[in-house]
Amino acid sequence: MKLGSLLVDGVRRYGVVDGDRIALLAENADVFEVLATGKPAAAGQRLPWDETAPIAVPVPIASIRDFITFEQHTAGSLRAITGSSEVPDAWYEAPAFYFTNPHAAIGSGTPVPMPPGCEVLDFELEVAVVIGTAGFNLSVAEAVDHIAGFTILNDWSARDLQSREMRVGLGPAKGKDTATTLGPVLVTPDELAGYESDGRYDLAMEVFVNDTRIGGDTLANMAWTFAELIAYASRGTWVRPGDVLGSGTCGSGCLAELWGWHGERQPPPLRIGDTVRMTVQGIGTIHNTVVAGPPLHDVPPARRSR
């Protein structure tokens, strides 16, 4: 099953996508119950579905955790920051993640405003798993049964803001706060069974800027499976329907990694008017264009106490 959503007369409606049509669910339908049972509560209304047009986030979002699970991306990004591509031992010990802003989740085709004060905007090509049923302190074996499906994730990143704030020992936060694209649909695991082996999905991933291919990878190169990420995320706590767990950026899936390998900012940071397009085999394509953002309002530096 593939689920998507549209704005219909100003109301966000969810539905089952089949080719170029979307069959809307009843307005009061519980999307995750539909996914759990596999039996859509049909509303009877079928509308055109066009992934080249602006569409909404495919399912309701509760939270977003973003992991870093591709070794090549980790090494290249570290080289861009520190000059060394040596991955620390701690990276291999457990899957690291941060929380990002669920209120900034947007759909494919939605314009992305330049973050205030940002001059080094980047994208990150990822796949995300979405939790379908609640679970607490799950084992890896148990975690598989809590997967609703998969979607493409673009973790828009203001690298200059991110670099400044992480020097404090926290973050990223404002460097990731403007937008996270999810879409174009949520694809249930059965749809991708032919690509799966031992919990890993051999899905081709590609990213383009203004129709120029920047990079790509296979999702199978994740260092952990999605079930392992869910088990770790749920350790001592709950994961609930609508929680999103990003795979982290794939190899050559962002500019910062390439800057690390090239030793210079080539390709250049994104500019207003640039369109970023991402395609993942079996899931689809998302696209967004960078537009001018809101003004930067100054916040004074801290008042020193000593």
Side-chain angles (χ1 to χ4, degrees), residues 3-5 12 14-15 31 56-61 106-107 151 182-186:
L3 255 69
S5 73
R12 187 173 172 192
Y14 299 96
V31 172
V57 175
V59 293
I61 303 303
I106 61 172
T151 191
L182 295 166
V185 292
L186 183 84

Side-chain angles (χ1 to χ4, degrees), residues 26-42:
E27 284 192 54
N28 61 350
D30 183 325
V31 172
F32 295 105
E33 183 177 339
V34 169
L35 287 166
T37 62
K39 298 177 180 179

Side-chain angles (χ1 to χ4, degrees), residues 183-196:
V185 292
L186 183 84
V187 179
T188 53
D190 59 293
E191 296 271 348
L192 301 177
Y195 302 98
E196 187 268 339

Side-chain angles (χ1 to χ4, degrees), residues 6-285:
L6 294 172
L7 288 177
V8 181
D9 298 327
V11 177
R12 187 173 172 192
R13 297 289 302 277
Y14 299 96
V16 178
V17 176
D18 183 10
D20 62 356
R21 310 293 289 181
I22 180 170
L24 298 182
L25 304 177
E27 284 192 54
N28 61 350
D30 183 325
V31 172
F32 295 105
E33 183 177 339
V34 169
L35 287 166
T37 62
K39 298 177 180 179
Q45 187 177 8
R46 290 173 58 85
L47 297 176
W49 177 258
D50 180 5
E51 292 184 2
T52 66
I55 51 180
V57 175
V59 293
I61 303 303
S63 71
I64 304 176
R65 295 172 175 87
D66 204 3
F67 285 80
I68 179 167
T69 74
F70 287 83
E71 192 172 9
Q72 176 188 318
H73 165 74
T74 305
S77 298
L78 285 171
R79 186 172 180 177
I81 298 168
T82 67
S84 171
S85 60
E86 183 176 354
V87 179
D89 290 341
W91 184 87
Y92 298 96
E93 292 168 2
F97 71 89
Y98 66 92
F99 281 98
T100 192
N101 184 2
H103 305 297
I106 61 172
S108 178
T110 302
V112 173
M114 185 69 73
C118 173
E119 296 182 357
V120 189
L121 184 62
D122 197 356
F123 54 82
E124 300 199 34
L125 170 57
E126 310 185 24
V127 169
V129 65
V130 180
I131 299 299
T133 56
F136 177 84
N137 204 45
L138 301 169
S139 69
V140 174
E142 291 169 335
V144 174
D145 294 330
H146 294 261
I147 295 175
F150 305 94
T151 191
I152 305 173
L153 187 154
N154 184 353
D155 175 28
W156 298 88
S157 303
R159 297 299 186 194
D160 43 356
L161 307 186
Q162 177 186 356
S163 175
R164 181 197 61 77
E165 66 188 358
M166 292 186 73
R167 291 199 299 270
V168 180
L170 292 175
K174 293 308 295 181
K176 305 280 191 170
D177 212 19
T178 293
T180 299
T181 305
L182 295 166
V185 292
L186 183 84
V187 179
T188 53
D190 59 293
E191 296 271 348
L192 301 177
Y195 302 98
E196 187 268 339
S197 177
D198 295 327
R200 286 181 166 78
Y201 291 83
D202 188 12
L203 304 179
M205 308 168 68
E206 291 186 296
V207 58
F208 301 79
V209 176
N210 301 329
D211 295 326
T212 297
R213 188 182 186 277
I214 301 300
D217 200 352
T218 170
L219 189 61
N221 283 336
M222 290 174 62
W224 291 271
T225 67
F226 282 110
E228 289 164 345
L229 299 187
I230 294 169
Y232 185 76
S234 73
R235 184 178 290 176
T237 191
W238 286 90
V239 289
R240 298 191 181 277
D243 285 352
V244 174
L245 285 70
S247 66
T249 308
C250 68
S252 71
C254 75
L255 297 173
E257 179 198 327
L258 298 178
W259 298 338
W261 299 127
H262 296 165
E264 58 178 342
R265 285 183 180 167
Q266 289 297 329
L270 296 172
R271 292 291 179 257
I272 293 170
D274 285 344
T275 296
V276 178
R277 175 167 52 91
M278 297 178 170
T279 297
V280 176
Q281 187 177 15
I283 300 178
T285 298

